[in-house]
Each structure stands twice: as C-alpha cells, then as structure tokens.
Amino acid sequence: MALKVIIIGGVAGGASAAARLRRLNEDMEIVLLERGEYISFANCGLPYYIGNVIEEREKIFLMTPQKFREWYNVDVRVNSEAISIDPARQSVEITDRRSGKTYRENYDYLVLSPGAEPNRPPLPGIDNPAVFTLRTVSDMDRIYNFIQRHKPAAAVVVGAGSIGLEMAENLQARGIAVTLVELSSQVLPFLDPEMAALVQQHLREKGVSLHLNDGAAMFEETDGPGVAVTLRSGKKLVPGPVILAAGVKPELKLARDAGLDVGKGIRVNRYLQTSQPNIYALGDAIEVIDFVTGAPALIPLAGPANKQARIVANNISGRREEYSGTQGTAILKVFDLTVAATGVAERALKQAGSPCKHCIIHPGSYAGYYPGSSPMALKLIFDLEGRILGAQAVGSKGVDKRIDVIATALRFQRSVYDLQTLELSYAPPYSMAKDPVNMAGYVAGNILQGDLPVISPAELLAADRAKESLQLVDVREPDELENEGFIAGAINIPLGKLRSRMNELSKERELVLYCAAGMRSYLAVRILMQRGFTRARSLLGGYRTYRALEKEMAGDAAEL
C-alpha cells in the first residue's frame, strides 16, 4: 500500500514539500491542507501590490490549487483547517470551513508547516477594522480596497522591521503620508545601530515621520476613515489606517495540543523530525539552530523554509539529509536603498558574551570613474581568529552581490583572510579590481594583525573628551570640512601634510584620526605608528558613519 502523507499549510513550506515528494515518488498519496483559499502565493510581493508596483493581482499567485493538482497529482484541499492531531492514532481532525463539516484523515507521515501569525498586542481599539495586519492575500485585499475606497491622506505603520519598512515605502508610493512607529531605538533589528542610522536618515529624507523608542498605546475610532493613534509617549498621530507590522509569532497550538516538544517554536532534530519521528515540521513555526552561534532561534525567512521543505521530503522518501541551520541572510528595498545582512549582528554577539571585532568600509558599487557609481556602507563582523560571523550592507547599488558572496563564505566557515583571496568578476560597470568584499577582508586582516588600531563611532561618541583624553585629527581637505562638517574639537591636518606637521601631535595622548570613510585615516595611522605614535587609532567607517549615528543618538531628525 502506498504511503500517505498529510501536509498542513501551503505557501513556501508546505507546497514545496508536496511538490518535492511527488517528484521523488509517483505512487505516494499526498494531501495538502490549507485553511485559506490559496496554496502558493508570493508573500514577499504583497506590499508591492498594495503600492501598485505589481499592477496585476494575478501575478501574486505562483500556482493555483487546480494547476497544482494537475501538475503534481496532489489532493489539494483549500479552506480546510486542521484543528487537532492525534499522534497515537496517526490522524488529523479537519474542518471544511465552507460547509462546517468535520472529519478525520489518517497518515503515515505528517508535515507541519503552519507558519507564523502577526503579533496583535492587546491594545484598546486594536480590533477596529481600520487596523490591519499583512500576512495573507485576504489581508492584502483588505488594505488595498480600503485605500481604493477611502483614499486616506495619512497612515501609521507600527513596527519597523522588513514588512513595516516595505509597507511605509509602498503606502507613500500611493501618495499617503506615512508615520512609522517603533518601540525599540532603531529600525531593522538585524542591523547594528550605526548601519540602522543610515537607513533612518534615508527614511527621513524621503519624508517618513519616524518615532523611535515609542509604541502604540491605543486606537480610537474617528468620524472619517481610519483610526486615531495615541502613542505611549502621549503623542497623538494624524488619523488614518494602521498597519500592524510588530513582528510575528509561530503558530504552535496544533503542535502543543498534540503533545509535541515546543520551545521558542516547534522543536525539531537535524532531520527536521519533531518529538514524534513520523511528524516533521518546517518553516516559520520551527525552532532552528542559528548557524553561527549554535543557539536555538526563530528565523522566519522564505529561503530557509523552501530548503527545509526539500529536506523533509527527502527524509520521508528515504534520502537521509540534515538541515545544518539558518544564518539569517536577508535583503530588502527601502526607497532608494538596498539593505542586506547575513549571520549575526555585533550587538547580538556582545549581548551573548561572544568576543568579536568588526570593520566598516564605504567602497563604491563599482569603479568610481565609470558613470553612476555610488558608495555603500559594508560592515564585516568576525571573531578574534578571523572567522566570519556576519555582515551588513546599505547602499543603492551592488549590495546584494557583496552580501551574497560573504554569506557563501560564512556558510563554508571561511575567514576574513579567505575574502582577501577571492577572485571576483571585474569590469568598470560592475566592480573594481579590488572588490568591496576583498577590501573588507583586507581591512579586517589589518585590524587582526595590529596594523590598524581602530575605534568605533559608538566608542568615540561615548568617550570622555571633556578632559582632553583624546586628540582628534581630521585628515580631510579643508573644503570637505566646510561642506560636510566635522567632529567638534578636531584639528585639521590634511593627509598630505601629516608628515610635516606631526610635531603638533602628542605621543602621550590617545590619538583618533578620521576622514570621510576610513581610507585616509588608515594611511595616517600607518604613518604615525611608524614614527612612534603607539596610541593612534582610526575611526571605523569615518565621518560618514559617525555623523549618521551621532544624529540618531541625539534624536536629531535633520537631513544628512
């Protein structure tokens, strides 16, 4: 008799597992349960339909239930909700949401892909129909139809993670003034503060009203469309629709009620089996192992969910395969910027007590003499031996390529010295002879080998300069200081004049040198170190990074 597999949940995880199972076994009986109407749609495309970037709604759907049945011979049951699991009887209780009928199905193997649901904190007024979340196609339709019908002038987005920022951009694309509210001190929690500061400045430049260190306290009905939002600080925002994008939580009720082992998410072994060996789980609902730290984590991303689906199908089919963990590689568009990261942030490593170092560079996206090149900020995080732990990048061009290269190196547990040796494609419209990835490896190697003593912008901002414990030297040209500003208390000695003016500097005091992005200050430090200035350090990321972080730490919303 053919094996019978029931899969609970479609989209990236469940549908991918079903397709892979059929490709491996033509005789297997496969039942795919989806409580909604759609089994395969582009979750990540939902904000872009709302913003009219994707103009045709049909393009959101990757596969219809009918086509999935025809292509894969899978028993697809939409509007069918699994309401309980009996592991002892190997059965699932299912409700047909259209008829209300409840019935049971037996299985040989069960695959759980229930996903995660948006957080809805118990705030007054949160059930108002003008307060939306965005997870499903139905959610997308409700938001889109509200905008079409009411044409709101303003909207509030609560939460500044990836969905929150994508919604802010797409609402503004519809001519709606956006206020973005975030309970923590920065946007995008996977970034470190100095990188997030660059994104925050860009959001403000684009006209987004940003309220950090604040949160929604209540939503009140108004005479017009939308709700009035009161923040914890007492500020009242212009009424309009509200998009709740305050993170997600894994859907665990089915697993918990079935007696499966549950921690942060559904606990699985390296083969993605739950505590019941014939029940597998995958996607946003499972507790994964962080590839870098080895700690249990929740990392809800579509890419890992697809990979897990393939591994689950392989294991059910007898092709033993392990899931090695999730490293959290992510990317998003924020107006004119691309923001990407992989691995673990410096802040998270320090909170966990893991020693690490980092470097920040501002290379061009490609050769500076070729038209259209633009700078990016690239941060590389590594341990004391040089093993790559993470990277973050913010820029308008070339960010995806660099993060993907570093993500690959991280996956194979390579070091910053390996980045130096990579032979990457080069032509002026695409890169430089020394790619930014190579450059990050060189700078990191210099730091580890003691050739480049450094101080971070955060450390400099926290330093006690009132007692003249630090001597600051700006090695840019005078016109750069006039046009771009400078750090208070710094003296200006352009790099070309440093050798003739080093007598103005004290070898006894801490000495911090900086330029726009860090290259000239590196050269300056090398000059001084070879002349007996043993306490000289370069400012990581230069004045460009320092200025953005200083403004954000001071709560200054002025444009860069």
Side-chain angles (χ1 to χ4, degrees), residues 404-433:
D404 283 345
V405 171
I406 297 173
T408 303
L410 190 157
R411 173 60 60 167
F412 291 100
Q413 299 184 311
R414 310 310 297 182
S415 76
V416 300
Y417 302 108
D418 294 305
L419 297 185
Q420 299 175 7
T421 67
L422 290 178
E423 185 176 327
L424 303 173
S425 58
Y426 161 64
Y430 303 103
S431 185
M432 294 163 283

Coordinates of all heavy atoms in Angstrom, one line a residue, residues 404-433:
D404 N 25.8 38.4 -0.7 CA 25.7 37.0 -1.1 C 27.1 36.3 -1.1 O 27.2 35.1 -0.8 CB 25.1 36.9 -2.5 CG 23.5 37.1 -2.4 OD1 23.0 37.0 -1.3 OD2 22.9 37.3 -3.5
V405 N 28.1 37.0 -1.6 CA 29.5 36.5 -1.6 C 29.9 36.2 -0.1 O 30.4 35.1 0.2 CB 30.5 37.4 -2.2 CG1 31.9 36.9 -2.0 CG2 30.2 37.5 -3.7
I406 N 29.7 37.1 0.8 CA 30.1 36.9 2.2 C 29.2 35.8 2.8 O 29.7 35.0 3.6 CB 30.0 38.2 3.0 CG1 31.0 39.2 2.4 CG2 30.3 38.0 4.4 CD1 30.9 40.6 3.0
A407 N 27.9 35.8 2.5 CA 27.1 34.7 3.0 C 27.6 33.3 2.6 O 27.5 32.4 3.4 CB 25.6 34.9 2.5
T408 N 28.1 33.2 1.4 CA 28.6 32.0 0.9 C 29.9 31.6 1.7 O 30.0 30.4 2.2 CB 28.9 32.0 -0.6 OG1 27.7 32.4 -1.3 CG2 29.5 30.7 -1.1
A409 N 30.7 32.6 1.9 CA 31.9 32.3 2.7 C 31.6 31.9 4.1 O 32.2 31.0 4.7 CB 32.8 33.6 2.7
L410 N 30.6 32.6 4.7 CA 30.2 32.3 6.1 C 29.7 30.9 6.2 O 30.0 30.1 7.1 CB 29.1 33.3 6.5 CG 28.7 33.3 8.0 CD1 28.1 34.6 8.4 CD2 27.7 32.2 8.3
R411 N 28.8 30.5 5.2 CA 28.3 29.1 5.2 C 29.3 28.0 5.2 O 29.2 27.0 5.8 CB 27.3 29.0 4.0 CG 26.8 27.6 3.7 CD 25.9 27.0 4.9 NE 24.8 27.8 5.2 CZ 23.8 27.4 6.0 NH1 23.8 26.2 6.5 NH2 22.8 28.2 6.3
F412 N 30.4 28.3 4.5 CA 31.5 27.4 4.4 C 32.6 27.7 5.5 O 33.7 27.2 5.4 CB 32.1 27.3 3.0 CG 31.2 26.7 2.0 CD1 30.5 27.5 1.2 CD2 31.0 25.3 2.0 CE1 29.6 26.9 0.3 CE2 30.1 24.7 1.1 CZ 29.4 25.6 0.2
Q413 N 32.2 28.5 6.5 CA 33.0 28.8 7.7 C 34.4 29.3 7.3 O 35.4 28.8 7.9 CB 33.1 27.5 8.6 CG 31.7 27.1 9.0 CD 31.8 25.9 10.0 OE1 32.4 24.9 9.7 NE2 31.1 26.1 11.1
R414 N 34.5 30.2 6.4 CA 35.8 30.8 6.0 C 36.1 32.0 6.8 O 35.3 32.5 7.6 CB 35.8 31.1 4.5 CG 35.3 30.0 3.6 CD 36.0 28.7 3.8 NE 37.4 28.7 3.6 CZ 38.2 27.7 3.7 NH1 37.8 26.5 4.0 NH2 39.5 27.8 3.4
S415 N 37.3 32.5 6.6 CA 37.8 33.6 7.4 C 37.9 34.9 6.6 O 37.8 34.9 5.3 CB 39.2 33.3 8.0 OG 40.2 33.4 7.0
V416 N 38.2 36.0 7.2 CA 38.4 37.3 6.5 C 39.6 37.2 5.6 O 39.7 37.8 4.5 CB 38.6 38.4 7.5 CG1 37.4 38.6 8.4 CG2 39.9 38.2 8.4
Y417 N 40.6 36.3 5.9 CA 41.7 36.1 5.0 C 41.3 35.4 3.7 O 41.9 35.7 2.7 CB 42.8 35.3 5.7 CG 43.3 36.0 7.0 CD1 42.9 35.5 8.3 CD2 44.0 37.2 7.0 CE1 43.3 36.1 9.4 CE2 44.4 37.8 8.2 CZ 44.0 37.2 9.4 OH 44.4 37.9 10.6
D418 N 40.3 34.6 3.8 CA 39.8 34.0 2.5 C 39.1 35.0 1.7 O 39.2 34.9 0.4 CB 38.8 32.9 2.9 CG 39.4 31.7 3.6 OD1 40.4 31.2 3.0 OD2 39.0 31.3 4.7
L419 N 38.5 36.0 2.3 CA 37.9 37.1 1.5 C 38.9 37.8 0.7 O 38.7 38.3 -0.5 CB 37.1 38.1 2.4 CG 35.9 37.5 3.1 CD1 35.2 38.7 3.9 CD2 34.9 36.8 2.3
Q420 N 40.1 38.0 1.2 CA 41.2 38.6 0.5 C 41.6 37.9 -0.8 O 42.0 38.5 -1.7 CB 42.4 38.8 1.4 CG 42.2 39.6 2.7 CD 43.4 39.5 3.6 OE1 44.5 39.0 3.2 NE2 43.3 40.1 4.8
T421 N 41.5 36.6 -0.8 CA 42.0 35.8 -1.9 C 40.9 35.5 -2.9 O 41.2 35.0 -4.0 CB 42.5 34.4 -1.4 OG1 41.4 33.7 -0.9 CG2 43.5 34.6 -0.3
L422 N 39.6 35.9 -2.7 CA 38.6 35.6 -3.7 C 38.8 36.3 -5.0 O 39.1 37.5 -5.0 CB 37.2 36.0 -3.1 CG 36.6 35.2 -2.0 CD1 35.3 35.8 -1.5 CD2 36.5 33.7 -2.3
E423 N 38.7 35.6 -6.1 CA 38.8 36.1 -7.4 C 37.4 36.4 -7.9 O 36.7 35.5 -8.4 CB 39.6 35.2 -8.3 CG 39.9 35.8 -9.7 CD 40.7 34.8 -10.5 OE1 41.6 34.1 -9.9 OE2 40.6 34.9 -11.7
L424 N 37.0 37.6 -7.9 CA 35.6 38.0 -8.2 C 35.6 38.8 -9.6 O 36.6 39.4 -9.9 CB 35.0 38.9 -7.1 CG 35.0 38.2 -5.7 CD1 34.5 39.2 -4.7 CD2 34.1 37.0 -5.8
S425 N 34.5 38.7 -10.2 CA 34.4 39.3 -11.6 C 34.6 40.8 -11.5 O 34.1 41.5 -10.6 CB 33.1 39.0 -12.2 OG 32.0 39.5 -11.4
Y426 N 35.3 41.3 -12.5 CA 35.6 42.8 -12.6 C 35.6 43.3 -14.0 O 36.1 42.7 -14.9 CB 37.0 43.1 -12.0 CG 37.5 44.4 -12.4 CD1 36.9 45.6 -12.0 CD2 38.6 44.5 -13.3 CE1 37.3 46.8 -12.4 CE2 39.1 45.8 -13.7 CZ 38.4 46.9 -13.3 OH 38.9 48.1 -13.7
A427 N 34.8 44.4 -14.1 CA 34.9 45.3 -15.2 C 34.3 46.6 -14.7 O 33.5 46.6 -13.7 CB 34.0 44.8 -16.4
P428 N 34.7 47.7 -15.2 CA 34.3 49.0 -14.6 C 32.8 49.2 -14.3 O 32.5 49.8 -13.3 CB 34.8 50.1 -15.6 CG 36.0 49.4 -16.2 CD 35.7 47.9 -16.3
P429 N 31.9 48.7 -15.2 CA 30.5 48.9 -14.9 C 30.0 48.0 -13.7 O 28.8 48.2 -13.3 CB 29.8 48.5 -16.2 CG 30.8 48.5 -17.2 CD 32.1 48.1 -16.5
Y430 N 30.8 47.1 -13.2 CA 30.3 46.1 -12.3 C 31.0 46.1 -10.9 O 30.5 45.8 -9.9 CB 30.4 44.7 -12.9 CG 29.6 44.6 -14.1 CD1 30.3 44.5 -15.4 CD2 28.2 44.5 -14.1 CE1 29.5 44.4 -16.5 CE2 27.5 44.4 -15.3 CZ 28.2 44.4 -16.5 OH 27.5 44.3 -17.7
S431 N 32.3 46.4 -10.9 CA 33.1 46.3 -9.7 C 34.4 47.1 -9.9 O 34.5 48.0 -10.7 CB 33.4 44.9 -9.4 OG 34.0 44.8 -8.1
M432 N 35.3 46.7 -9.0 CA 36.7 47.3 -9.0 C 37.7 46.1 -9.0 O 37.3 45.0 -8.6 CB 36.9 48.2 -7.9 CG 36.0 49.5 -7.9 SD 35.9 50.3 -6.3 CE 34.8 49.3 -5.4
A433 N 38.9 46.4 -9.4 CA 39.9 45.4 -9.4 C 40.0 44.7 -8.0 O 40.3 43.5 -7.8 CB 41.2 45.9 -9.8

